[in-house]
Amino acid sequence: MGTVTASASEIEKAAEVLRAGGLVGVPTETVYGLGADAENPVAVSRIFQVKGRPSSHPLIVHIGSAEQLDEWVRDVPASARLLARHFWPGPLTLVLHRGPRVPLEATGGLETVAVRVPDHPVALALLSAFGGGVTAPSANRFGQVSPTTASDVRAELGDGVDFVLDGGSCEVGVESTIVDVTGEMPTILRPGGVTREDLEAVLGYPLTVPAVSRVRVPGQHPSHYAPSARVVLVEPEKIVDEAEAAQELGHRVGVFLPASFADAEVKAHAVVPVPRSSAAYARGLYGFLRELDQKGCDLIVVSLPPEEGLGLAIANRLRRAAGPRPTV
Ligand code: TXA
Ligand code: MG
């Protein structure tokens, strides 16, 4: 975790804000969340307003421990218990059948609900002080880059958030892995901080991951996790040439430079060296995108990492960042 940690009195204040129906910026190990009392439909509705997110998009309910799971869901299969035991607290979200305590406002009208126990001392202290569940999407405006520091949250949401707890910069840096355990076989709905390989090792069988393609089909990957600059994906060996060509054409190009090109002199507006370890890449990913925006880049040139381990989640986010933008 980063060095900043909210004090006991700040945690008590945040719990009060939740009890009063307010919204709190909550640090987790993945990204910062925009939290509300999961059982207060009015507070939950405010999340959608502040984010500018369609109310049909379901939220994740954060709880303080795996022991509380049955208070929120029903019909928990053995596979879900196994995964919860191994990975909670941690960057894994389980989709299960909704219990009566979860309002439909939090699930976008679905009869299923996404639940996780975050692995961050500030989030766990808040959940313990508050006592209930906290629904929290990532604390960014809809479609934008997720925040990984408290100041990112303030910059994204301003007065839309009533109180922000500072828990330093997020250790994992990409969102949780979402696994649907309501069907016959668990399926990964979103790759994230727990790798597919780790899940398969615990379950003892292979998992399906949503189809991905290296080709961009219009409309297939609507833009999400996106900076202001346009993001283009190129083959790794062409990255320097493509970046320089775009810069020559008059773009202010930001380039994610793979470690294999570390010594290259690139004629671009800004260069981010991609860390060799995928854990460090995931941790830095959203900060790099924000940094290139702040430096005034209008085009970000990047290639996809190998899609194994955390590389699967990184590639998923980059693909979505490069997806077609809504025309407004
Ligand atoms: O790491 C994370 O998961 C972060 C931190 C704050 O916990 N939260 C996060 O929330 O990424 P959000 O709202 O940005 O993404 C939640 C995802 C959405 O893609 C949503 O569609 C999916 O969870 N989801 C929620 N409930 C679901 C359900 N019942 N069935 C299927 N997908 C669901
Ligand atoms: Mg999000």
Side-chain angles (χ1 to χ4, degrees):
M1 273 354 101
T3 47
V4 186
T5 295
S7 67
S9 66
E10 286 170 317
I11 284 164
E12 196 36 59
K13 176 171 178 199
E16 270 310 313
V17 171
L18 291 176
R19 281 181 209 115
L23 303 185
V24 175
V26 185
T28 82
E29 79 282 30
T30 57
V31 300
Y32 274 71
L34 178 63
D37 175 357
E39 291 168 275
N40 179 338
V42 177
V44 173
S45 308
R46 264 194 72 207
I47 290 181
F48 292 97
Q49 268 169 34
V50 167
K51 271 188 72 97
R53 168 162 160 157
S55 59
S56 57
H57 280 226
L59 304 174
I60 296 173
V61 176
H62 297 72
I63 59 174
S65 74
E67 286 70 49
Q68 295 167 13
L69 182 61
D70 295 280
E71 299 169 23
W72 298 92
V73 300
R74 53 187 175 77
D75 307 331
V76 180
S79 59
R81 302 252 181 237
L82 182 66
L83 293 173
R85 194 160 65 238
H86 269 85
F87 296 105
W88 282 354
L92 175 69
T93 295
L94 297 174
V95 172
L96 287 150
H97 294 287
R98 177 180 75 94
R101 219 173 150 179
V102 180
L104 286 169
E105 281 78 4
T107 69
L110 296 174
E111 285 304 326
T112 56
V113 62
V115 184
R116 88 175 185 102
V117 180
D119 186 16
H120 190 293
V122 173
L124 290 171
L126 175 64
L127 288 164
S128 160
F130 175 58
V134 172
T135 35
S138 51
N140 51 277
R141 296 198 188 270
F142 186 59
Q144 307 287 307
V145 177
S146 305
T148 52
T149 67
S151 57
D152 291 345
V153 177
R154 293 191 195 97
E156 271 289 316
L157 301 178
D159 290 344
V161 54
D162 298 307
F163 190 62
V164 180
L165 285 171
D166 195 336
S169 55
C170 301
E171 183 70 23
V172 176
V174 291
E175 293 81 355
S176 60
T177 303
I178 303 179
V179 178
D180 184 345
V181 278
T182 60
E184 220 145 85
M185 293 282 281
T187 48
I188 296 179
L189 300 182
R190 176 179 74 183
V194 171
T195 67
R196 172 191 186 162
E197 294 85 343
D198 286 346
L199 292 167
E200 290 175 345
V202 165
L203 289 168
Y205 49 82
L207 286 171
T208 52
V209 183
V212 285
S213 110
R214 296 190 89 85
V215 187
R216 258 204 280 138
V217 180
Q220 204 184 25
H221 302 291
S223 126
H224 215 93
Y225 312 104
S228 306
R230 197 155 65 84
V231 177
V232 291
L233 306 179
V234 305
E235 293 303 325
E237 59 281 1
K238 296 199 185 130
I239 194 150
V240 173
D241 292 348
E242 296 271 357
E244 292 189 337
Q247 182 79 19
E248 293 241 318
L249 283 173
H251 283 291
R252 286 186 306 280
V253 174
V255 54
F256 274 38
L257 197 64
S260 51
F261 286 95
D263 299 327
E265 282 275 328
V266 189
K267 289 184 219 76
H269 185 72
V271 175
V272 168
V274 172
R276 272 181 202 279
S277 97
S278 58
Y281 191 0
R283 192 178 306 127
L285 178 65
Y286 292 140
F288 301 153
L289 293 171
R290 283 176 189 276
E291 176 192 327
L292 293 180
D293 262 349
Q294 276 153 16
K295 287 186 171 162
C297 296
D298 60 32
L299 192 72
I300 296 176
V301 178
V302 59
S303 53
L304 299 179
E307 292 180 55
E308 57 202 28
L310 281 172
L312 187 66
I314 296 168
N316 170 275
R317 302 308 187 269
L318 289 173
R319 227 184 236 111
R320 307 264 325 248
R325 305 282 166 96
T327 42
V328 271

